[in-house]
Amino acid sequence: MAVFVALGAFLMTLAGGWTAQRVTDRRHLVLGLAGGLMLGVVGLDLLPEALEAAGTEVLGVPAALLLFVAGFLLAHLVERLLAHRQAAHGAEEHDGRTPEVGLTAAAAMVGHSAMDGVAIGAAFQVGGGMGTAVALAVVAHDFADGFNTYTITSVYGNDRRRALAMLCADAVAPVLGAASTVFVTIPEPLLGAYLGFFGGALLYLAAAEILPEAHHTHPARSTLLCTVAGVAFIWLVVGLAG
């Protein structure tokens, strides 16, 4: 089931890349909805399940929460290091566009998509409801991933062939990640720890990348409504699954 669902992420990633070549004024609505789905999964399903599965405490703090913070901080660190590298390369080029920077950023997106697939597989090991909720967020997120992978690669001066190659790699990554969990059953405490860590990273992506980008050029009420609708939808899914 996890691999089958990951195929949905594969298709959505390709759809995101295809849309990147054609979308004009509706991108903010898609990203607003994706951000709401991600926020809903983290707060309403992923983090509560991680707290229950991990069980242990470290100096009075649940291990899942510590890893949640660690995931958030690591995502922030990776983004800052990447931004620093972009700035360094940009200083060397009069137009600020170095193809290698675009490829590095796209490769980071591919790695993240592989972890998305692992998260789907891990969530389905907890239960079908959990897997469905996480899969919804990942699929929505992977649309944005595909969009951004193609855009970042091409904006920094890479040709269409390279942009499509990175897009295809980003699409295959979640399928391979999910497949890796088919042959391994993750112990419940370790699963809780991983879900907490992933939740922190997912929250960072939603709060620091997806939602700001959604409101950057279109701070419209409709974008906010899409975000609220995404959270409400996950609330409904969690309620029905329970």
Side-chain angles (χ1 to χ4, degrees):
M1 178 60 72
V3 176
F4 177 76
V5 171
L7 290 174
F10 170 85
L11 295 175
M12 288 298 287
T13 302
L14 292 180
W18 180 84
T19 304
Q21 304 175 63
R22 293 167 174 80
V23 73
T24 55
D25 200 43
R26 298 296 178 185
R27 178 172 178 256
H28 61 292
L29 298 179
V30 174
L31 294 178
L33 179 62
L37 290 171
M38 293 162 67
L39 177 61
V41 164
V42 171
L44 304 179
D45 201 67
L46 195 62
L47 189 54
E49 190 65 43
L51 287 169
E52 182 179 348
T56 59
E57 292 187 354
V58 179
L59 297 178
V61 179
L65 283 182
L66 289 174
L67 286 165
F68 177 81
V69 174
F72 188 98
L73 291 175
L74 181 61
H76 176 59
L77 176 63
V78 170
E79 185 196 43
R80 290 297 88 203
L81 289 175
L82 184 59
H84 177 74
R85 179 172 180 179
Q86 289 176 351
H89 279 281
E92 298 171 4
E93 299 290 332
H94 72 279
D95 61 357
R97 293 184 178 181
T98 303
E100 290 76 14
V101 174
L103 292 176
T104 300
M109 299 288 288
V110 172
H112 171 67
S113 292
M115 295 307 295
D116 281 349
V118 173
I120 292 176
F124 270 103
Q125 289 186 11
V126 173
M130 175 70 168
T132 300
V134 171
L136 284 172
V138 168
V139 168
H141 178 215
D142 279 351
F143 181 91
D145 274 357
F147 192 105
N148 291 332
T149 298
Y150 185 92
T151 301
I152 289 172
T153 307
S154 57
V155 159
Y156 279 90
N158 293 283
D159 59 24
R160 185 172 181 270
R161 178 181 59 83
R162 284 187 174 182
L164 289 175
M166 296 307 298
L167 174 64
C168 290
D170 192 47
V172 171
V175 179
L176 296 179
S180 70
T181 66
V182 173
F183 307 101
V184 178
T185 300
I186 304 175
E188 187 173 2
L190 181 60
L191 181 61
Y194 172 75
L195 293 177
F197 183 84
F198 176 72
L202 197 64
L203 180 62
Y204 182 83
L205 289 171
E209 295 186 16
I210 301 299
L211 292 177
E213 182 66 21
H215 291 276
H216 178 61
T217 56
H218 289 275
R221 186 177 302 174
S222 57
T223 306
L224 178 60
L225 290 176
C226 283
T227 302
V228 174
V231 175
F233 180 71
I234 293 299
W235 188 11
L236 178 63
V237 169
V238 170
L240 293 176

